[in-house]
Amino acid sequence: MKVVLQLGLGLLLLATHYVPATSVPSPQCQKQCGDVEIHYPFGIGVNCSLEELFSVKCQVQDGISKPIFGENFELLNISLANSTVRVLNQIATYCYNDTSGDMDSHYWGIKSKNTPYRFSDIHNKFTVIGCNTIGYIGDEGSYLSGCVSTCGNLSDLTDGSCSGIGCCQTAIPRGMDNYKVNFNMVTNASQILRFSRCSYAVLVEAEAFNFSTAYITTNKFNDTNAGQVPMVIDWAIRNETSCEKAKRNETGTYACLSGNSECVNSANGPGYVCNCSKGFQGNPYLPDGCQDVNECNDGPCPLGGVCHNTVGGYRCSCRAGRKFSKQNKTCDPDTGLIIGVTVSFLVLVIFSSSGYMILQKRKLNKVKQEYFHQHGGLLLFEKMKSEKGLAFTVFTEVELIHATNNYDKSRIIGKGGHGTVYKGIVKDNMPVAIKRCALIDERQKKEFGQEMLILSQINHKNIVKLVGCCLEVEVPMLVYEFIPNGTLYELIHGKNQALQISFSTLLRIVHEAAEGLNFLHSYASPPILHGDVKTANILLDHNYMAKVSDFGASILAPSDEEQYVTMVQGTCGYLDPEYMQTCQLTDKSDVYSFGVILLEVLTGQVPLKLDGPEKHRSLSSNFLLAMKENNLDAVLESNIKGQESAELIRGLAELAKQCLDMCGGNRPSMKEIADELSRLRKLSLHPWVQLETEVETQSLLGGTSTASFEIEAATTGYPAQEGDNMPMNPRSSYYAR
């Protein structure tokens, strides 16, 4: 095996002793070479360094100025604070020779005995790169160490990992002032060619090294900085072994010349280094080299404090009423100064707050009284006194806030164009539905109390009962009985559609709704026009009895032309065409809307479809066309064709047709509708009627039905109403779902 040994003596080797001078460098000394600043005790030129071993040469290589340290080390930087220099260190190689068929070794060694320098055991690591290679590092004494780098497969190599596969590292001891490296093969030369032609070993700065698999696969590690990598060298003033001895030395060689410097024993080998005292920065090896640091630039004082720079430190002060706590480094209240002021201020605040709260409470009560008067509260109370049997409650705002848990979102059971409905619990644990109404104008506020009085007197089993109101707010709030089982719309089209309801049950609910509307038209004084009749406004109680609700578009029957509405209201699909033309709401407008409800029961379809051909979107138009063409079977729901008699179905269809007449004067009244529904219901209750019309039923509808209906005794809560998106009528009280 051919061996070539290259031993570099890089740091002025084999010097037996040195005595540094304490001369001050000339101001003309060069302070920089290339990008590297040269700090004293290092220097460039004669009498510019502490002594010869700290001398640096500035050489031009390839047109670039480079600082050269020792014999041939390129200097990367000098640190006075850490007492280190970084240099480029030579990489030792162990490569296969194609000519000889053997391995050539290019070793590297350094001696720095009797110099200020030691190889840093903290920053450096001995690193070996290669496959099936052992690298050694040792000194001229008894120290010898190394590590093994192996390769099972190239696929095992990992970038950034130096754990023994392709790369290994080991630490060096403290105080090391010379070393040399060597190699040994784990296998013969021919086997190493499977992986790489070369192996490498070097003492390298650990933070600057990052293993790459390309070092093995392409043999490029030796190309780094022309075969050099960074290494860290510790330096110290080593003419004395410690600070204590250096300070006692009377030869004038003590190196810490700055008056604001401190001597610190070297951590790597004998000797000492100099540091600026706390609160100072600069070069401790020069007279007056350590200058005061303005700590206030770093904002060391707490928030609200004022920083005052001092020599070697700083002082914090706080604004009036606070004092600086050195222990906690905070501006704490000056309790002695503040207690008297605070007590006086609190007394003043208490009296002022009490007076302000009393004033505000009076103002609030005055505002509530004004609202109460505006909404007709006095008229309502007078009527309630005269009508001793009136079961109606005027709630306070506090009571309704408590009942709804301050209008918590979880209490919302419905939203619409006329307001938001909350479920509440009032006294005696009675569940109610509380509606916060939308804004209304001044004229509506004046008539509100009178209309509340009228609606409060309506007591019909098929109309949702208004149990109370709150008048001491800007917009009145209404309190209705709580209806638990959803709407007729949901029973036909929505989430309750899954219930196997019979046609007779639907007919019963529709009949009850007609009775409720008949009561509003015929028996209320003055009559009340609902204005928004639809399946979504027919609620179902715990027994699934119909309850007409949502009087958001209702008005009292107009007595003069001034009471014509100025904006068409209601729900698309249910609106009376005549009402849309005249803007005059009549009892026959409710009749038209009720006719659409009859169609929903007969067909199971929604009143208005937004998709599909335009001519088929309106349920009422499709129905009237089918009746005109004597093709009723085309629009009927398949499930009801065999459930009831043809006479019943024809009767309902004919009734719906009359309700949908384009001329309101030709439509029946709600009383006539209720009576006709009562008669038609009897057809489904007498089986002999079905026997008499069996042949006709089969020819008209085809088939019979065995469907049955059984309603479970469960409650569904108050779902939000669909379609409630029209503006509120100016003269209404309502219960919007």
Side-chain angles (χ1 to χ4, degrees), residues 15 42 72 76-77 120 135 172 210 217 263 335 392 422 508 538 581 659 668-669 683:
F42 295 87
N72 197 28
L76 299 179
N77 70 279
S120 175
I172 62 172
N210 186 39
T217 59
C263 183
T335 54
F392 189 79
Y422 298 82
R508 188 258 303 167
I538 299 176
Q581 293 178 353
C659 293
S669 66
L683 296 180

Side-chain angles (χ1 to χ4, degrees), residues 223-275:
D223 295 341
T224 305
N225 290 321
Q228 296 178 320
V229 291
M231 176 180 66
V232 180
I233 297 175
D234 293 331
W235 56 269
I237 311 300
R238 302 194 191 274
N239 63 317
E240 296 292 352
T241 58
S242 66
C243 289
E244 184 180 357
K245 291 183 179 181
K247 292 177 181 178
R248 291 203 308 261
N249 195 320
E250 298 179 357
T251 61
T253 58
Y254 182 58
C256 302
L257 299 182
S258 178
N260 298 311
S261 63
E262 298 175 349
C263 183
V264 180
N265 289 328
S266 172
N268 192 358
Y272 66 93
V273 295
C274 304
N275 289 331

Side-chain angles (χ1 to χ4, degrees), residues 223-358:
D223 295 341
T224 305
N225 290 321
Q228 296 178 320
V229 291
M231 176 180 66
V232 180
I233 297 175
D234 293 331
W235 56 269
I237 311 300
R238 302 194 191 274
N239 63 317
E240 296 292 352
T241 58
S242 66
C243 289
E244 184 180 357
K245 291 183 179 181
K247 292 177 181 178
R248 291 203 308 261
N249 195 320
E250 298 179 357
T251 61
T253 58
Y254 182 58
C256 302
L257 299 182
S258 178
N260 298 311
S261 63
E262 298 175 349
C263 183
V264 180
N265 289 328
S266 172
N268 192 358
Y272 66 93
V273 295
C274 304
N275 289 331
C276 288
S277 301
K278 184 178 180 181
F280 294 85
Q281 64 182 7
N283 192 330
Y285 299 96
L286 295 173
D288 299 324
C290 293
Q291 301 296 319
D292 177 53
V293 177
N294 188 353
E295 291 87 355
C296 292
N297 292 334
D298 299 327
C301 294
L303 184 65
V306 179
C307 181
H308 307 275
N309 186 53
T310 61
V311 178
Y314 65 94
R315 177 177 57 85
C316 292
S317 63
C318 301
R319 64 177 182 269
R322 290 181 174 271
K323 60 182 179 180
F324 181 70
S325 171
K326 293 183 178 179
Q327 181 179 2
N328 300 325
K329 293 185 177 180
T330 57
C331 282
D332 297 329
D334 188 352
T335 54
L337 176 65
I338 295 176
I339 287 177
V341 177
T342 303
V343 171
S344 301
F345 178 74
L346 287 176
V347 172
L348 179 62
V349 168
I350 290 173
F351 278 105
S352 300
S353 299
S354 299
Y356 178 78
M357 291 176 65
I358 293 173

Side-chain angles (χ1 to χ4, degrees), residues 397 400 407 434-437 468-470 473 475-479:
E397 184 182 14
L400 297 190
Y407 305 106
I434 300 169
K435 178 170 182 181
R436 300 182 76 181
C437 307
C469 65
C470 176
V473 289
V475 181
M477 289 185 285
L478 311 175
V479 182

